[in-house]
Amino acid sequence: MPDCLFCRIIAGKVPSKKVYEDEYVYAFEDIRPTAPTHVLVVPKRHVPGLNEATAQDAEIIGRCNLVAAKIGRERNIVDGYRTVFNVGPRSGQSVFHLHLHLVGGRDLAWPPG
Ligand code: 5GP
Ligand code: ZN
């Protein structure tokens, strides 16, 4: 998906602040952080969003959450963080390449806006 922003970030064609990378997943700092930790955890394979995910994406969805948990432990924010998939325009999803937000390092209100 050459016109996809996150595919371009994963390919190194758009610069990003890398937090973690393995064979399946790339994680980087959100450009407009909403908390002291705001990291995006992205599958390397292009999937538009959770609504388009299928059973073959089950493992990568789990991997994204486990990578977020690892980063949360490394950053010592395990007293409160959130992992969020925004799904669809009404949720605020603006980039249509599946990504998990890891948000933490401050008190988080519930319910979210
Ligand atoms: P969404 O609104 O789709 O759930 O989340 C997209 C996120 O990507 C937003 O939090 C936004 O700040 C972030 N973002 C958009 N463009 C870029 C970019 O070029 N670089 C980085 N690092 N983050 C971006
Ligand atoms: Zn993509």
Side-chain angles (χ1 to χ4, degrees):
M1 290 276 160
D3 59 342
C4 169
L5 173 62
F6 286 178
C7 283
R8 290 173 60 79
I9 284 177
I10 292 161
K13 291 175 183 154
V14 171
S16 66
K17 288 188 190 163
K18 180 165 90 171
V19 175
Y20 174 86
E21 182 173 16
D22 64 27
E23 189 181 346
Y24 306 101
V25 168
Y26 186 77
F28 56 102
E29 302 284 351
D30 196 292
I31 205 167
R32 283 187 295 272
T34 60
T37 285
H38 189 166
V39 172
L40 301 174
V41 186
V42 176
K44 286 189 171 176
R45 194 163 69 81
H46 180 89
V47 179
L50 192 60
N51 203 34
E52 292 79 14
T54 66
Q56 70 165 341
D57 302 311
E59 187 183 341
I60 196 65
I61 290 166
R63 282 183 183 277
C64 287
N65 276 286
L66 291 172
V67 166
K70 172 181 157 58
I71 296 166
R73 287 192 298 272
E74 286 170 358
R75 296 197 173 187
N76 202 22
I77 58 166
V78 291
D79 58 340
Y81 66 81
R82 201 164 282 157
T83 66
V84 177
F85 287 114
N86 288 324
V87 185
R90 285 188 82 188
S91 75
Q93 185 180 4
S94 59
V95 177
F96 291 86
H97 177 132
L98 188 70
H99 53 280
L100 186 68
H101 294 258
L102 166 62
V103 177
R106 63 166 170 80
D107 292 341
L108 298 170
W110 189 263

